[in-house]
Amino acid sequence: MKKLFSASITMALIASSAQAYDNITAQEAYVMLASGEAIMLDVRTPEEWAWVGHPGKNKSGYGSEIEKYVINIAWEIEKPGHGYELIPNNLFLGDVKKLRLPSDKPIITICRSGGRSVSAALALEDAGYTNLYNTLKGFEGGTDSDGYRTKEEGWKNTGLPYTFGFTGEIDEHIPGN
């Protein structure tokens, strides 16, 4: 009985220390965005956002229903004068707080392949946000055997709508503004 009690306490401690975010697929993220239920924070650099693309309306208009719910706030930024070396964006949490999101608003994080978005979700959790989701495989997914991001995973390579370029000021993307 003592071993069973000890095992129960250990399991309870593990469960209470688990992350507060849930992992979801790109398709699940799209459904949440299309319903207006959630906000997506694309935590890639502004350069990735513009050059590689981001979730939003494509040239045929598919994705217009999610466009105002996808916001770019970089988790890491390029270190000035050092090529593509990334450093932490010390303004990340402050920029998220400027959105004035309700504390229970679902927030979905996404990055290139799923690593930075996990870090951003954990930082948001530490800052008191509780309704968090991480997009598995990110925007581009993993690499193929040649090192290219062509696998059918992530947002871009699964047929979900995306666009290129910056679409406006941050306040234009906040629902209700």
Side-chain angles (χ1 to χ4, degrees):
M1 183 68 170
K2 192 173 188 179
K3 286 183 182 179
L4 181 60
F5 180 72
S6 178
S8 297
I9 289 176
T10 301
M11 293 304 291
L13 289 173
I14 291 170
S16 68
S17 66
Q19 78 272 359
Y21 68 87
D22 288 320
N23 286 311
I24 59 174
T25 65
Q27 293 82 357
E28 290 169 326
Y30 174 79
V31 169
M32 290 175 70
L33 293 172
S35 71
E37 173 187 344
I39 293 289
M40 176 176 274
L41 293 180
D42 188 326
V43 301
R44 295 174 298 150
T45 66
E47 295 80 11
E48 289 174 285
W49 167 271
W51 298 333
V52 179
H54 56 273
K57 180 175 70 174
N58 66 18
K59 290 181 180 181
S60 69
Y62 174 43
S64 62
E65 66 280 1
I66 67 167
E67 204 164 44
K68 67 181 177 179
Y69 301 112
V70 181
I71 303 163
N72 177 228
I73 301 178
W75 170 248
E76 295 177 323
I77 55 174
E78 290 187 31
K79 184 175 182 179
H82 289 82
Y84 197 69
E85 182 182 343
L86 296 178
I87 59 174
N89 176 9
N90 296 325
L91 302 176
F92 176 77
L93 288 173
D95 287 345
V96 172
K97 288 178 182 177
K98 286 179 188 176
L99 298 176
R100 301 176 310 275
L101 298 173
S103 60
D104 62 342
K105 182 76 171 177
I107 298 174
I108 303 167
T109 57
I110 191 170
C111 65
R112 181 187 63 199
S113 57
R116 286 175 284 175
S117 56
V118 166
S119 297
L122 291 171
L124 290 167
E125 175 188 349
D126 287 345
Y129 294 91
T130 57
N131 204 350
L132 302 168
Y133 298 86
N134 173 59
T135 309
L136 289 170
K137 306 297 182 181
F139 184 71
E140 294 183 87
T143 56
D144 62 20
S145 60
D146 294 320
Y148 295 101
R149 296 189 182 279
T150 59
K151 290 184 174 182
E152 291 186 13
E153 55 187 28
W155 187 284
K156 186 176 181 180
N157 295 326
T158 56
L160 292 171
Y162 67 95
T163 189
F164 295 93
F166 185 66
T167 57
E169 295 298 320
I170 197 167
D171 284 341
E172 292 176 19
H173 293 311
I174 301 171
N177 284 344

